[in-house]
């Protein structure tokens, strides 16, 4: 028995991990052979019981030595094999990739980008400006009379409104960007201004206190109403399809003269009348007009030499018409069931 123990100790010490081909399985087999319940060492401990008492001390020590050597060796093998095992799981290049759900662009961004893109194709560049504006850029330079209702607290969120102080408000429309641009540049000016606007409205399916607009402004020599009409027709066809027709109705805005509102033929019923267009066959889309000479002069542009047109539209309304969204609040609630319906459009 003594020589057997020595033989095993020697064998264990001579065994190297490199000799295992299928490492994890062979280490386990090695463990079972020596340390398993019915392994060699257990077997020897059985035999040990029936040894004559005078041999027990020496054999006991030897056996324990064998057991310790076996355990240490197996621990050593395992610490070598286990990290490799883990690595091979993580680095298996043949495994299918984990599914990573991709976010999607918000439908308002999609529509805003589309409008911007349509105008950029005919030479308009994007202009952006501040969301907190002063009275001059929001109203005065845009020819709003002092008593215009838009200057009222009921419509506008004032940040500061104190006697004798400069009035500062969240911008109520992107028309303020027209002023910002014209103040700092001379014609030809051809800009598109997409952005967020704020109005003091009760939130409902049809109104919200935050929404988005896109404004366009073109100022140059001899810009005429027919330039405006042609641009509007081009835009309507690009946005809603080649078959789209437009009509202009006279309107009023302080900063344009003449002013108009543009309708498009209903893209749902093709102009026959449905509940979206309330049976009229037409959908109201945007406000527009020729820039009032007073506005040009306020911004330091010679109104005798230059003329221009401007137009402004609500992005939420565009998206509503394009995708038949019935409730404005959906845009702002971040409900994934709503948002994910647009994850195939870019
Ligand atoms: N600023 C207007 C609004 O918020 C929209 C508008 C109308 C913009 C006519 C324009 C325009 O540039 O010419 O209701």
């Amino acid at each position: 028995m003594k020589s057997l123990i020595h033989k095993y100790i020697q064998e264990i010490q001579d065994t190297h991990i490199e000799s295992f081909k299928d490492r994890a399985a062979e280490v386990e087999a090695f463990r079972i052979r020596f340390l398993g319940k019915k392994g060699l060492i257990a077997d020897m401990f059985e035999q040990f019981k029936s040894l004559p008492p005078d041999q027990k001390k020496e054999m006991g020590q030897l056996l324990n030595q064998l057991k310790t050597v076996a355990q240490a060796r197996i621990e050593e093998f395992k610490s070598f094999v286990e990290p490799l095992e883990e690595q091979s799981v993580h680095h298996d290049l043949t495994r299918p990739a984990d599914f990573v759900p991709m976010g999607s662009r918000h439908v308002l961004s999609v529509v805003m980008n589309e409008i911007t893109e349509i105008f950029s194709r005919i030479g308009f560049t994007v202009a952006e400006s501040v969301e907190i504006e002063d009275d001059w850029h929001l109203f005065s330079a845009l020819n709003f009379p002092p008593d215009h209702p838009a200057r009222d607290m009921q419509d506008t969120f004032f940040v500061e409104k104190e006697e004798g102080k400069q009035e500062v408000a969240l911008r109520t429309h992107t028309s303020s960007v027209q002023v910002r641009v014209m103040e700092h540049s001379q014609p030809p000016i051809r800009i598109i201004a997409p952005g967020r606007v704020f109005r003091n409205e009760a939130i409902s399916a049809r109104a919200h206190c935050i929404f988005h607009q896109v404004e366009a402004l073109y100022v140059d020599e001899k810009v005429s109403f027919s330039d405006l009409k042609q641009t509007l027709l081009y835009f309507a066809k690009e946005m809603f399809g080649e078959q789209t027709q437009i009509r202009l109705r006279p309107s009023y805005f302080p900063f344009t003269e003449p002013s108009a509102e543009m309708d498009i033929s209903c893209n749902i019923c093709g102009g026959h009348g449905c509940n979206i267009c309330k049976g009229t066959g037409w959908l109201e889309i945007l406000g527009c007009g020729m820039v009032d000479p007073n506005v040009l002069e306020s911004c330091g542009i010679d109104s005798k030499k230059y003329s221009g047109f401007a137009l402004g539209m609500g992005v939420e309304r565009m998206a509503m018409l394009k995708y038949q969204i019935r409730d404005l609040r959906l845009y702002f609630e971040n409900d994934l069931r709503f948002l994910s319906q647009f994850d195939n459009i870019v």
Side-chain angles (χ1 to χ4, degrees), residues 28-39:
E28 182 60 6
F30 186 82
R31 187 191 68 78
I32 291 169
R33 177 160 169 248
F34 285 100
L35 290 170
K37 275 206 187 105
K38 294 180 182 156

Side-chain angles (χ1 to χ4, degrees), residues 172-173 175 178 199 213 215 253 255-256 287-289 310-312:
T172 49
H173 55 182
S175 302
Q178 290 187 31
R199 277 185 211 172
Q213 289 186 333
E215 189 92 8
F253 301 102
F255 37 89
T256 44
C288 58
L311 58 98

Side-chain angles (χ1 to χ4, degrees), residues 85-264:
E85 286 277 285
E86 267 176 34
Q87 268 183 27
S88 70
V89 173
H90 290 301
H91 292 285
D92 178 359
L93 299 180
T94 63
R95 287 175 76 210
D98 286 341
F99 175 70
V100 182
M102 295 272 277
S104 57
R105 239 180 256 287
H106 193 282
V107 60
L108 290 178
S109 301
V110 172
V111 171
M112 199 140 72
N113 289 348
E114 188 178 356
I115 299 167
T116 308
E117 216 258 318
I118 292 171
F119 278 94
S120 76
R121 271 185 255 144
I122 51 169
F124 285 73
T125 51
V126 172
E128 282 183 318
S129 185
V130 289
E131 290 181 344
I132 298 178
E133 263 299 5
D134 54 41
D135 178 274
W136 171 255
H137 293 92
L138 268 181
F139 305 122
S140 298
L142 287 165
N143 204 33
F144 278 77
D147 55 353
H148 193 280
R151 292 170 178 260
D152 194 338
M153 296 271 240
Q154 240 119 64
D155 294 307
T156 305
F157 287 117
F158 283 94
V159 178
E160 229 164 16
K161 192 180 170 76
E162 276 176 49
E163 210 60 45
K165 261 199 173 176
Q166 163 91 290
E167 279 174 11
V168 179
L170 297 183
R171 70 177 176 197
T172 49
H173 55 182
T174 45
S175 302
S176 56
V177 186
Q178 290 187 31
V179 182
R180 291 263 166 206
V181 170
M182 286 193 282
E183 278 178 337
H184 293 114
S185 41
Q186 283 294 312
I189 293 170
R190 215 183 285 157
I191 58 105
I192 179 119
R196 193 158 54 156
V197 299
F198 308 85
R199 277 185 211 172
N200 198 352
E201 304 251 13
I203 296 170
S204 71
R206 315 217 69 212
H208 210 288
C209 55
I210 302 175
F211 54 101
H212 299 77
Q213 289 186 333
V214 177
E215 189 92 8
L217 172 72
Y218 177 34
V219 185
D220 203 350
E221 287 179 38
K222 302 196 182 88
V223 175
S224 68
F225 201 89
S226 59
D227 294 321
L228 170 60
K229 254 172 93 177
Q230 203 55 40
T231 307
L232 292 171
L233 183 62
Y234 157 77
F235 169 71
K237 285 176 180 288
E238 291 295 306
M239 190 74 192
F240 293 99
E242 185 53 37
Q243 73 296 341
T244 310
Q245 294 180 309
I246 63 168
R247 86 176 175 187
L248 293 172
R249 284 178 290 105
S251 185
Y252 172 78
F253 301 102
F255 37 89
T256 44
E257 182 57 37
S259 304
E261 263 167 283
M262 179 180 93
D263 299 341
I264 57 163

